[in-house]
């Protein structure tokens, strides 16, 4: 396998990061891809996936907030308009971020076809 200088630098850095010899690292990476244990993705896709993971965490927090509001309402307690508006703003922002990340993934997949 031949690499230009820039590619070899990237591979060496990855091997060093994993505490492996270059040949061992390349062989392990190739085997993982061939066995479909990992799927290579572009840097852009990696960022989008990180955004989706962060969005899942945000959505869990929003779910907790919505549950708190529902419990208060179900127990006859009151919930301020500000609290409801704040939770709804969180929901809308989270949905928007998930939509953006989803569209970015779709564009990435389309560009590979």
């Amino acid at each position: 396998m031949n690499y230009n200088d820039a590619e070899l630098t990237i591979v060496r850095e990855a091997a060093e990061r994993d505490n492996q010899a270059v040949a061992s690292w390349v062989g392990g990476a190739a085997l993982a891809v061939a066995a479909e244990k990992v799927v290579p993705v572009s840097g852009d896709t990696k960022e989008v996936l990180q955004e989706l993971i962060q969005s899942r965490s945000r959505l869990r927090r929003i779910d907790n907030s919505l549950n708190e509001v529902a419990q208060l309402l179900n127990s006859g307690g009151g919930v301020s308009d500000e609290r409801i508006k704040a939770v709804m703003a969180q929901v809308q922002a989270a949905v928007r971020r998930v939509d953006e990340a989803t569209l970015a993934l779709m564009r990435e997949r389309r560009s590979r076809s």
Side-chain angles (χ1 to χ4, degrees):
M1 180 162 277
N2 293 319
Y3 295 111
N4 65 34
D5 290 341
E7 293 167 337
L8 185 57
T9 298
I10 292 169
V11 171
R12 280 185 179 146
E13 287 173 359
E16 287 175 18
R17 184 178 58 241
D18 290 347
N19 237 1
Q20 294 182 345
V22 171
S24 176
W25 187 89
V26 169
L31 182 59
V33 170
E36 296 182 359
K37 291 182 180 178
V38 297
V39 177
V41 296
S42 69
D44 291 344
T45 300
K46 184 176 179 179
E47 289 175 17
V48 171
L49 291 173
Q50 288 171 340
E51 175 61 37
L52 286 172
I53 291 166
Q54 292 170 359
S55 292
R56 289 184 69 217
S57 177
R58 280 187 216 98
L59 288 169
R60 278 194 214 102
R61 287 193 303 273
I62 293 167
D63 180 54
N64 289 336
S65 295
L66 286 171
N67 284 332
E68 290 170 10
V69 167
Q71 287 174 350
L72 283 170
L73 291 173
N74 288 335
S75 67
V79 179
S80 70
D81 285 346
E82 291 80 25
R83 174 80 171 134
I84 292 173
K85 286 178 184 177
V87 172
M88 291 309 297
Q90 289 176 336
V91 168
Q92 291 169 347
V95 168
R96 195 169 34 254
R97 291 179 76 128
V98 170
D99 284 347
E100 290 168 0
T102 301
L103 289 172
L105 276 175
M106 291 168 65
R107 281 191 295 272
E108 174 74 19
R109 289 188 60 150
R110 219 176 274 137
S111 69
R112 290 185 189 179
S113 308

